[in-house]
Amino acid sequence: MAHHHDNQHNHARSHDHADVDWAVMAPLLEAQAELFAPMQAQVTAWLRTHQPEPGLIVDAGSGPGVVSCALADAFPGARVVAADASGPLLERATERADRLGVADRFSTLEAELPAGLADLEYPVDLLWASRSLHHLGDQRAALVAFAQRLAPGGTLALLEGGLPTRFLPRDIGIGRPGLQSRIGAAEDMWFNEMRAALPGVVAEIEDWPALLTSAGLRHTGTRSFLLDLPAPLSDEARAYLVSYLGRLRDSLAEALDADDVATLDRLLDPDDKASVHHRPDVFVLTAQTVYTAEKPE
């Protein structure tokens, strides 16, 4: 199955941080994470069955810390470390923790993954890695490094794969029907090129339970979580969708044919009644898959 990378995180997280405008990206990453909060709450409830009272939680590849703060809130006895290579995003994570009243249990670690996790002072009870692993050239080696940071009995939770986000019907009345499927194919191509350009890239079958097991962990579960925001969308969800489609248009313009780019342009034009700014039929439907594994006692 092709590995879909349809969330903004992926288009944002370049292997060269210099070419990303974090001032533009951060609000989009935050808007997505806030929109996905109901799904994250389900994920967290599931993680609690594996790790009811973790002392230390690390969010590896935390970005602006929306999920890190949600984990701090959901596990009131835990200390939480947001680890990311982007200083500006971690500053936003710290501001968020202050705002939400969890700053006393919250810290950040500016680090390239996975090597930077060696700077953690304590073993980790719950290591959360949401779509950060696939930005690392050698994913198998990274999982070994993640496993080394876990306390005995600690849990690694890996969010990878799932389904590409759907937001429009197959036939939207403009352009050629099936735009979403063609966007998905272009995203797969983008993803393959992104992986191919990573330093030290190793081709790997994306069998996450097998990779977790090969890292010396015991695979304990796989579960997918649904986000279902039907039409009519809230203003926040619609605004997010406009930003999301704008990013897609920027990153995929070369991979799509001219007709599809023209359709995207109409979908993004606030003066066009057929645009996502105005149409009543836009929705957000996606699924994310989480794999858990435990370090033997």
Side-chain angles (χ1 to χ4, degrees), residues 144-161:
V144 170
F146 285 176
Q148 285 169 345
R149 304 314 308 158
L150 287 176
T155 297
L156 172 59
L158 193 63
L159 194 160
E160 288 289 348

Side-chain angles (χ1 to χ4, degrees), residues 53-79:
E53 291 185 339
L56 177 62
I57 298 172
V58 172
D59 183 354
S62 64
V66 181
V67 172
S68 321
C69 288
L71 289 168
D73 190 51
F75 294 97
R79 287 176 305 122

Side-chain angles (χ1 to χ4, degrees), residues 19-31:
D19 67 359
V20 175
D21 185 346
W22 291 115
V24 173
M25 265 330 291
L28 188 52
L29 290 171
E30 287 166 345

